[in-house]
């Protein structure tokens, strides 16, 4: 009974930090606890986690977190006991709960706690300074304006009639039973209201007092349907018979009948629940709980003990704005807000980093899963292995073979049971398809081996694997390094390869590719990967032959067109051939009349065009005029 | 057009086949290739100069139309001409190889071509003097460079003539001295 009466159900599927108020702070957590309601085990709360915050105690059930999780306000705890446990009996913490209604009222019924649980999630405007208070503060803190420190419901008119602030819901009046102000309606059974001068209202039911309108002139409580005061004919403030106010009207009576019953019982029994620590951690948890109880963070607004929490910036803010009001207070608040936002952002960034760490784990998990599936379904290495090994140049050794084998097994597509197929498809939907799973450094211990594995992966990206058709270099025999790097990292998706590592991998590439892919650096600094057909001597021979056949020289553009490569790249390669002396240039600027080389091509060429010729000077012999010997002598 | 061929100019000079290759007129960035190009040009220039008895080559010759050098510095058939900077670099190479000398000195725009070295000219001069029976007679420069009967020395630049005489003087085959209207020279038979 104590459990049901003092606690409030929460949605345990939400992580605890998200359940907290803005000014609340999670202090400690402990798994593997059970709850005793009174001296008996509570049936549904036998396995879960307990979390203590500055304001509340959360129990999140491990089996049915949605249904059996609950929160308990620390303010309702009057006393705690600690039992260290004996033999098979686990250590326990007993929480004695106060039976006084003022404390438990806000949580006395799970179904009807909207008055208190909703209020933290409303914004409200302070009537004194018109500051719009943000939602999410604990009930206690939200009762006070964050800027000027005036209690939310301290204006008499507003507490007399909720309708004065038509758009606002009534202040959570249940919190104010102790204040000296006349309380607002929710206690229809209380004698003062029963005898209040309601006879004037035409046959109104007692419940309707909650909506009666106080006359601004004579304070007479008029029936809500009246426009002017019944006594003095003063115009009454407008009310809106909104759905919400009706809800209030309806919700009021349903909540009431239960509480008197509880009240009766509370007088005769003592209320306590016990937390049984089945997996230890009790001592530390109890210490934290004691400290939190001592701090009384929830009581801050009533000017009591200050919380010892230093990071609780909202509470600090409230406290300080209480101390200093006016413009300095407002400016202070603005500053605090900015600071708070900053810490929020840095927290968010930290979360992001944490997420990256998680992603790595996930990828590894997927990799393991996939490997197991593959091994289970068909352990034979794919044909790719033999093909690749066959092409492997002489440098390949035994380790290379096994290396290639281990990576290509991941690509086998074999007959698999339905479950395996399902898991695979789930993985691929998550973007964790094993064929594409990038290798990360922590997967491979040895650095050299890591680089070699990366080279194999890069080879697959460039030449395509047996299962995935095509690769970066399928259509293009020469490809610039930056493009390769970008493409590879795009293929990896996560755990990107830094350029330094990429450069380290390149020397290993030729031994893992068939036909081998080599690196070539041009004097301009441009580095490319190329197939054997574009080795420098092969290319220069080809170009020279082509130029010799043409006889008239070719522009860079024409060569690029023939080779199917970009002009810039061909320009670099031709430059290299020129440096080797294979070809020579014919500068269009040397023309007598602008209009290109008139050798007879017949095409109009741009005057500045550069044309390439095969080196005509190498076998050049003098075949011009020969002077007769001793001509002059 | 696919094969390069020789060509005879209107003046009867046979141009080498390389002269019809467009790249021949471009300064090649590759130093080895450019060395070959330069060597071919030097050969062509000296050969043509000897053919036409030209002694002076100026950088401006590459830019002006209608000069003595048009037949080799330009090739109308392939629409190519030697650029002034290229010619300038060829000239400087020739000077380095002692195949030409800047004339006048201390500038680089014009050179005296040594299609015969000064020593060779000295021999030619001495031979001409002795064959024409003018040994031991005093001759002016004008008598040598503008003889009544055309000789190999006709139009020889004075500076080159002086160099040749100086070489002969070293071996006591010539003597240079001042006369009333300039300088005179007397040649002696070789011992």
């Amino acid at each position: 009974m104590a459990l049901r009466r003092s606690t409030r159900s929460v949605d345990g599927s939400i992580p605890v930090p998200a359940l907290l108020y803005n000014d609340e702070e999670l202090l400690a957590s402990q798994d593997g606890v059970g709850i005793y309601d009174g001296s008996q085990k509570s049936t549904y709360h036998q396995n879960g986690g307990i979390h203590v915050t500055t304001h509340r105690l959360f129990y999140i059930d491990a089996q049915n977190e949605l249904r059996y999780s609950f929160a308990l306000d620390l303010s309702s705890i009057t006393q705690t006991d600690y039992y260290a446990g004996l033999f098979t009996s686990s250590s326990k913490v007993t929480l004695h709960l106060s039976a006084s209604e003022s404390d438990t009222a806000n949580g006395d019924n799970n179904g009807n706690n909207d008055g208190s649980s909703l209020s933290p999630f409303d914004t409200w405007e302070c009537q004194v300074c018109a500051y719009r208070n943000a939602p999410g503060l604990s009930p206690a803190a939200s009762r006070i304006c964050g800027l000027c420190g005036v209690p939310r419901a301290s204006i008499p008119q507003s507490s007399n009639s909720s309708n004065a602030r038509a758009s606002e819901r009534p202040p959570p009046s249940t919190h104010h039973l102790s204040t000296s102000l006349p309380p607002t309606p929710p206690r229809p059974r209380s004698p003062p209201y029963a005898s209040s001068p309601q006879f004037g209202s035409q046959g109104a039911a007692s419940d309707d007092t909650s909506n009666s309108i106080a006359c601004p002139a004579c304070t007479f409580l008029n029936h809500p349907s009246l426009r002017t005061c019944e006594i003095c004919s003063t115009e009454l403030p407008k009310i809106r018979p909104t759905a919400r106010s009706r809800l209030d009207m309806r919700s009021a009576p349903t909540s009431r009948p239960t509480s008197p019953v509880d009240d009766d019982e509370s007088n005769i029994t003592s209320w306590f629940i016990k937390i049984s620590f089945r997996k230890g951690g009790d001592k530390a948890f109890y210490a934290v709980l004691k400290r939190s109880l001592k701090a009384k963070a929830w009581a801050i607004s009533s000017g009591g003990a200050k919380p010892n929490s230093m990071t609780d910036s909202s509470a600090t803010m409230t406290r300080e704005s209480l101390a200093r009001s006016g413009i300095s207070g407002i400016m202070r608040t603005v500053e605090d807000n900015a600071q708070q936002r900053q810490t929020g952002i840095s927290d968010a960034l930290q979360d992001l980093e944490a997420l990256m760490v998680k992603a790595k784990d996930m990828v590894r998990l997927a990799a393991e899963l996939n490997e197991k599936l593959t091994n289970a379904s068909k352990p034979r290495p794919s044909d790719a292995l033999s093909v690749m090994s066959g092409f492997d140049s002489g440098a390949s050794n035994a380790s290379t073979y096994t290396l290639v084998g281990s990576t290509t097994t991941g690509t086998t597509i074999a007959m698999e049971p339905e479950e395996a197929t399902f898991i695979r498809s789930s993985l691929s939907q998550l973007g964790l398809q094993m064929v594409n799973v990038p290798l990360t450094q922590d997967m491979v211990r040895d650095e050299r081996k890591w680089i070699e594995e990366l080279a194999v992966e890069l080879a697959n990206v460039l030449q395509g694997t047996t299962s995935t058709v095509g690769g970066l270099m399928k259509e293009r025999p020469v490809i610039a390094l930056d493009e390769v790097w970008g493409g590879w990292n795009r293929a990896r998706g996560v755990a990107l390869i830094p350029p330094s590592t990429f450069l380290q991998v390149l020397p290993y590439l030729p031994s893992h590719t068939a036909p081998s892919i080599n690196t070539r650096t041009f004097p301009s600094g441009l580095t490319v990967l190329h197939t054997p057909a574009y080795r420098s001597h092969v290319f220069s021979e080809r170009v020279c032959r082509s130029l010799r056949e043409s006889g008239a020289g070719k522009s860079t553009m024409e060569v690029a067109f023939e080779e199917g490569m970009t002009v810039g790249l061909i320009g670099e390669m031709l430059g290299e051939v020129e440096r080797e002396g294979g070809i020579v240039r014919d500068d269009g600027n040397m023309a007598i009349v602008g209009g290109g080389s008139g050798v007879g091509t017949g095409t109009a060429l741009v005057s500045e065009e550069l044309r390439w010729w095969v080196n005509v000077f190498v076998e050049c012999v003098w075949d011009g005029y020969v002077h007769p010997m001793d001509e002059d002598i | 057009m696919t094969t390069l061929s020789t060509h005879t100019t209107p003046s009867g000079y046979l141009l080498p086949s390389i002269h019809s290759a467009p790249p021949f007129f471009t300064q090649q960035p590759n130093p080895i290739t450019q060395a070959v190009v330069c060597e071919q040009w030097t050969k062509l220039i000296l050969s043509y100069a000897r053919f036409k008895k030209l002694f002076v080559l100026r950088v401006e010759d590459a830019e002006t139309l209608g000069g003595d050098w048009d037949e080799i510095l330009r090739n109308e058939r392939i629409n190519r001409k030697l650029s002034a900077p290229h010619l300038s670099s060829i000239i400087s190479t020739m000077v380095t190889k002692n195949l030409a000398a800047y004339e006048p000195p201390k500038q680089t725009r014009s050179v005296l071509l040594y299609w015969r070295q000064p020593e060779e000219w000295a021999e030619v001069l001495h031979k001409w003097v002795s064959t024409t029976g003018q040994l031991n007679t005093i001759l002016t420069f004008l008598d040598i460079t503008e003889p009544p009967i055309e000789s190999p020395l006709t139009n020889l630049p004075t500076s080159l003539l002086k160099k040749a005489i100086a070489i002969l003087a070293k071996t006591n085959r010539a003597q240079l001295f001042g006369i009333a209207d300039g300088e005179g020279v007397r040649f002696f038979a070789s011992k």
Side-chain angles (χ1 to χ4, degrees):
Chain A
M1 284 308 275
L3 199 61
R4 203 181 127 261
R5 221 187 61 123
S6 312
T7 64
R8 195 169 354 142
S9 163
V10 293
D11 181 356
S13 60
I14 302 172
V16 173
L19 288 169
L20 304 184
Y21 301 128
N22 280 358
D23 51 351
E24 194 173 5
E25 195 190 350
L26 185 62
L27 298 174
S29 303
Q30 179 57 47
D31 282 337
V33 300
I35 303 293
Y36 284 66
D37 189 1
S39 52
Q40 303 199 328
K41 279 187 182 178
S42 173
T43 327
Y44 301 116
H45 306 105
Q46 285 311 303
N47 182 17
I50 194 98
H51 307 270
V52 62
T53 75
T54 50
H55 290 65
R56 286 178 290 180
L57 202 61
F58 286 94
Y59 169 84
I60 307 297
D61 198 77
Q63 264 91 46
N64 196 340
E65 59 209 10
L66 213 60
R67 198 147 164 218
Y68 297 124
S69 303
F70 64 80
L72 170 69
D73 282 336
L74 290 185
S75 57
S76 61
I77 298 173
T78 53
Q79 198 190 340
T80 57
D81 282 327
Y82 177 64
Y83 165 69
L86 189 68
F87 301 123
T88 57
S89 134
S90 314
S91 50
K92 293 182 184 62
V93 169
T94 311
L95 306 174
H96 295 272
L97 304 176
S98 80
S100 107
E101 180 153 5
S102 61
D103 286 336
T104 56
N106 53 1
D108 69 346
N109 193 311
N110 290 346
N112 267 304
N113 53 15
D114 51 350
S116 55
S117 69
L118 276 181
S119 62
F121 303 103
D122 277 352
T123 60
W124 58 280
E125 198 171 297
C126 174
Q127 285 151 322
V128 175
C129 64
Y131 176 71
R132 183 156 285 278
N133 284 276
L137 290 178
S138 64
S142 67
R143 245 176 283 157
I144 289 177
C145 172
L147 189 55
C148 63
V150 175
R152 185 175 176 178
S154 66
I155 312 299
Q157 289 95 320
S158 65
S159 56
N160 270 343
S161 164
S162 60
N163 304 318
R165 295 175 297 138
S167 63
E168 294 285 336
R169 38 180 316 105
S173 50
T174 45
H175 297 304
H176 294 283
L177 293 178
S178 59
T179 62
S180 58
L181 299 164
T184 34
R187 309 233 11 130
R189 302 211 172 182
S190 62
Y193 273 87
S195 62
S196 66
Q198 286 178 30
F199 51 88
S201 57
Q202 300 144 346
S206 62
D207 285 345
D208 282 43
T209 40
S210 59
N211 284 329
S212 56
I213 310 167
C215 171
C218 65
T219 74
F220 180 75
L221 290 172
N222 289 283
H223 188 270
S225 54
L226 288 179
R227 292 283 173 92
T228 55
C229 177
E230 221 174 338
I231 305 299
C232 61
S233 295
T234 313
E235 200 168 337
L236 292 173
K238 273 222 166 134
I239 82 149
R240 230 168 10 103
T242 55
R244 197 181 238 184
S245 67
R246 274 198 212 107
L247 187 78
D248 287 345
M249 286 159 60
R250 257 202 313 280
S251 67
T254 48
S255 69
R256 292 315 139 201
T258 58
S259 57
V261 181
D262 285 349
D263 271 344
D264 291 344
E265 285 181 14
S266 73
N267 292 333
I268 52 168
T269 32
S270 58
W271 297 95
F272 62 89
I273 62 172
K274 284 195 216 165
I275 306 166
S276 174
F277 291 86
R278 309 219 160 100
K279 287 187 186 165
D282 46 303
K283 274 204 177 107
F285 185 87
Y286 186 61
V288 172
L289 178 65
K290 284 291 263 187
R291 209 164 52 228
S292 180
L293 282 170
K294 217 170 188 177
K296 283 188 193 296
W298 63 88
I300 178 193
S301 58
S302 48
K306 312 242 156 144
N308 57 358
S309 147
M310 297 320 273
T311 55
D312 195 345
S313 59
S314 300
T316 316
M317 184 189 78
T318 317
R319 211 159 61 231
E320 281 176 357
S321 29
L322 271 174
R324 48 166 86 197
S325 51
I327 291 175
S328 63
I330 290 172
M331 286 173 68
R332 185 56 176 263
T333 310
V334 173
E335 271 173 31
D336 282 344
N337 278 345
Q339 204 170 1
Q340 217 175 330
R341 207 166 300 133
Q342 192 143 14
T343 50
I345 287 171
S346 62
D347 280 358
L349 288 176
Q350 275 176 2
D351 285 355
L352 210 62
E353 273 170 25
L355 195 68
M356 277 171 67
V357 174
K358 290 274 181 223
K360 205 186 282 177
D361 287 347
M362 200 148 163
V363 167
R364 193 175 51 214
L365 188 71
E368 282 168 8
L369 204 57
N370 209 313
E371 202 169 313
K372 273 180 199 158
L373 283 176
T374 311
N375 288 342
S377 58
K378 203 168 242 180
R380 72 165 176 87
S382 70
D383 298 338
L385 171 58
S386 51
V387 172
M388 290 182 84
S389 317
F391 275 110
D392 226 340
S393 52
S396 65
N397 48 23
S399 75
T400 317
Y401 280 95
T402 50
L403 212 60
V404 174
S406 68
T407 49
T408 44
T409 42
T411 66
T412 41
I413 296 168
M415 303 300 282
E416 290 168 350
E418 200 176 328
E419 297 83 7
T421 316
F422 173 73
I423 292 175
R424 262 196 217 280
S425 69
S426 315
L427 286 176
S428 74
Q429 276 170 9
L430 283 168
L432 295 172
Q433 207 170 0
M434 194 45 218
V435 183
N436 299 330
V437 161
L439 201 65
T440 49
Q441 188 162 17
D442 43 3
M443 289 187 200
V444 186
R445 292 272 168 266
D446 181 20
E447 179 157 8
R448 190 192 143 83
K449 203 177 169 204
W450 182 56
I451 298 284
E452 292 227 9
E453 291 269 8
L454 282 177
V456 172
E457 187 185 297
L458 180 57
N460 286 344
V461 169
L462 293 174
Q463 299 186 318
T465 56
T466 43
S467 60
T468 54
V469 184
L472 271 178
M473 293 182 78
K474 188 91 174 171
E475 302 290 331
R476 305 165 55 191
V478 179
I479 186 165
L481 221 53
D482 54 340
E483 211 173 325
V484 175
W485 183 66
W488 188 18
N489 272 336
R490 221 170 292 136
R492 286 174 72 89
V494 293
L496 304 182
I497 292 293
S500 54
T501 311
F502 176 55
L503 292 176
Q504 278 182 304
V505 169
L506 289 179
Y508 295 92
L509 198 54
S511 55
H512 294 293
T513 48
S516 67
I517 289 175
N518 285 286
T519 316
R520 186 166 161 192
T521 307
F522 295 109
S524 72
L526 177 71
T527 308
V528 297
L529 296 182
H530 64 91
T531 54
Y534 285 85
R535 255 170 240 219
S536 65
H537 65 274
V538 179
F539 175 77
S540 86
E541 269 172 32
R542 191 165 62 239
V543 166
C544 287
R545 197 169 53 243
S546 143
L547 288 177
R548 200 185 303 275
E549 280 162 11
S550 88
K554 280 179 183 169
S555 67
T556 308
M557 197 87 88
E558 283 163 5
V559 179
F561 187 74
E562 273 177 20
E563 295 285 335
M565 279 161 56
T566 61
V567 176
L569 211 51
I570 279 289
E572 293 273 4
M573 296 180 77
L574 288 174
E576 189 133 304
V577 180
E578 183 190 27
R579 267 181 291 282
E580 288 162 7
I583 54 172
V584 294
R585 59 176 65 195
D586 164 30
D587 194 342
N589 285 324
M590 299 303 144
I592 297 171
V593 283
S597 93
V599 191
T601 50
T603 50
L605 297 165
V606 190
S607 65
E608 286 85 24
E609 197 184 38
L610 193 67
R611 295 183 75 80
W612 297 102
W613 284 68
V614 69
N615 195 334
V616 286
F617 305 114
V618 270
E619 62 263 32
C620 175
V621 285
W622 181 262
D623 50 2
Y625 181 81
V626 180
H627 295 275
M629 284 303 287
D630 293 326
E631 175 199 8
D632 302 313
I633 304 175
Chain B
M1 103 185 174
T2 49
T3 51
L4 309 174
S5 59
T6 55
H7 181 258
T8 311
T9 62
S11 61
Y13 182 76
L14 182 70
L15 288 169
S17 56
I18 194 73
H19 194 257
S20 59
F24 189 51
F25 293 84
T26 302
Q27 199 166 356
Q28 300 295 331
N30 183 336
I32 298 163
T33 311
Q34 177 60 22
V36 179
V37 171
C38 198
E39 188 190 321
Q40 292 294 326
W41 268 112
T42 306
K43 213 177 226 177
L44 177 60
I45 287 169
L46 291 180
S47 166
Y48 187 73
R50 182 171 183 176
F51 179 80
K52 298 263 279 182
K53 300 221 180 319
L54 299 171
F55 291 95
V56 175
L57 176 64
R58 292 181 191 84
V59 175
E60 286 75 30
D61 287 327
E63 286 157 351
T64 52
L65 192 58
D68 293 329
W69 296 94
D70 273 1
E71 280 182 354
I72 62 162
L73 296 186
R74 301 165 73 85
N75 188 342
E76 302 282 352
R77 291 165 293 131
I78 59 166
N79 191 20
R80 285 288 180 275
K81 66 176 185 336
L82 197 65
S83 68
H86 193 183
L87 179 58
S88 173
S89 93
I90 291 169
I91 284 174
S92 76
T93 311
M94 288 172 77
V95 170
T96 322
K97 288 183 179 170
N98 201 27
L99 295 170
Y102 289 120
E103 179 65 37
K106 291 172 187 160
Q107 53 80 48
T108 57
R109 302 294 292 175
S110 119
V111 283
L112 193 62
L113 296 170
Y114 290 165
W115 42 271
R116 268 194 188 121
Q117 288 296 308
E119 292 77 18
E120 294 177 72
W121 278 116
E123 293 306 318
V124 171
L125 174 63
H126 195 261
K127 195 169 186 178
W128 175 76
V129 169
S130 52
T131 48
T132 52
Q134 294 180 85
L135 287 171
N136 298 320
T137 42
I138 295 172
L139 296 167
T140 60
F141 286 176
L142 217 60
D143 291 335
I144 299 170
T145 55
E146 287 174 22
I149 306 156
E150 197 176 324
S151 79
L153 300 169
T154 304
N155 293 331
L156 188 72
T158 314
S159 56
L160 195 51
L161 180 61
K162 277 184 182 169
K163 278 187 178 129
I165 291 170
I167 289 165
L168 289 175
K170 274 184 193 166
T171 51
N172 295 323
R173 289 187 287 171
Q175 187 187 10
L176 194 66
F177 48 83
I179 55 169
D181 53 346
E183 284 171 305
V185 64
R186 186 162 49 179
F187 295 91
F188 310 105
S190 48
K191 286 157 190 165

